[in-house]
């Protein structure tokens, strides 16, 4: 993940109103911003746009991807492209602090578990349930038996904070409705999650199969099947 030049970052924070603080004042001391990587919201926005192939870098400069510029006038397609890019923005959406979370290293696995759990229900899901589901998905990859209860608690808290950041990213797309206690996929979020899972959409071709069995009273039965495109998120369903 490359940082944006500081001069560009300062201009973008103001133009895009990202909410990042440049050279923040803490008490009576000004802390100089030395890298755009210190600007969480701007970094996430730029890396997300690059992952969705809306921006590219050339010679240290940010440039638009011309063939995808049309998406700026097609909000539904733009949100779809950004949603599809979610699996590729892990380093930008999760934040490395003094204690890195398991999901920051196993972002793809954690994101799949999060979306799968939200998609499996049509009612708001308690955040505590989502934290537990993602923890169970990513923590078995680590040896945690020797950690003290305090250390383990800090690790789980860091993991929960990163899940909150993922949920807020989904909220920015209109894909999740989030409260202080629960989260729920919106209609748009369900549509995009179904597409990511490789489920059929209206108008997709469906194969119909007719089978005739020998030596039975009712020998004929049929069924339908659909083959997902290669672009479907392979292995989405655990």
């Amino acid at each position: 993940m490359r940082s944006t030049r500081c001069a560009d970052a300062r201009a973008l924070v103001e133009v895009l109103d990202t909410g990042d603080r440049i050279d923040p004042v803490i008490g009576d001391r000004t802390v100089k911003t030395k890298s755009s990587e210190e600007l969480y919201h701007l970094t996430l926005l730029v890396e997300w746009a690059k992952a969705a192939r809306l921006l590219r870098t050339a010679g240290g400069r940010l440039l638009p991807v011309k063939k995808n510029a049309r998406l700026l006038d097609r909000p539904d397609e733009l949100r779809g492209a950004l949603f599809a890019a979610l699996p590729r923005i892990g380093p930008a959406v999760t934040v490395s602090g003094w204690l890195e979370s398991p999901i920051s290293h196993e972002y793809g696995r954690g994101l799949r578990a999060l979306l799968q759990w939200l998609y499996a229900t049509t009612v708001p899901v308690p955040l505590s349930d989502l934290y537990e589901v993602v923890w169970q998905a990513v923590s078995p990859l680590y040896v945690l038996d020797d950690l003290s209860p305090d250390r383990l608690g800090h690790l789980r808290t860091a993991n929960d904070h990163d899940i909150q950041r993922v949920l807020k990213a989904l909220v920015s797309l209109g894909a999740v409705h989030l409260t202080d206690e629960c989260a729920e996929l919106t209609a748009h979020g369900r549509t995009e999650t179904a597409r990511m899972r490789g489920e059929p959409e209206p108008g997709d071709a469906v194969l119909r199969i007719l089978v005739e069995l020998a030596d039975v009273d009712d020998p004929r039965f049929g069924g339908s099947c659909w083959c997902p495109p290669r672009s479907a998120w392979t292995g989405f369903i655990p």
Side-chain angles (χ1 to χ4, degrees), residues 217-238:
D217 294 335
D218 189 7
R220 305 183 74 186
F221 69 91
S224 301
C225 66
W226 178 79
C227 297
R230 291 181 181 272
S231 59
W233 190 348
T234 305
F236 183 89
I237 304 175

Side-chain angles (χ1 to χ4, degrees), residues 165-176:
R165 294 183 178 99
V166 176
L167 288 170
K168 288 177 180 178
L170 288 163
V171 168
S172 71
L173 291 181
V176 162

Side-chain angles (χ1 to χ4, degrees), residues 74-84 172-174 188 192:
R74 303 175 183 179
D76 288 343
E77 292 184 30
L78 177 60
R79 284 195 296 267
L82 291 170
F83 193 98
S172 71
L173 291 181
H188 167 67
E192 292 300 335

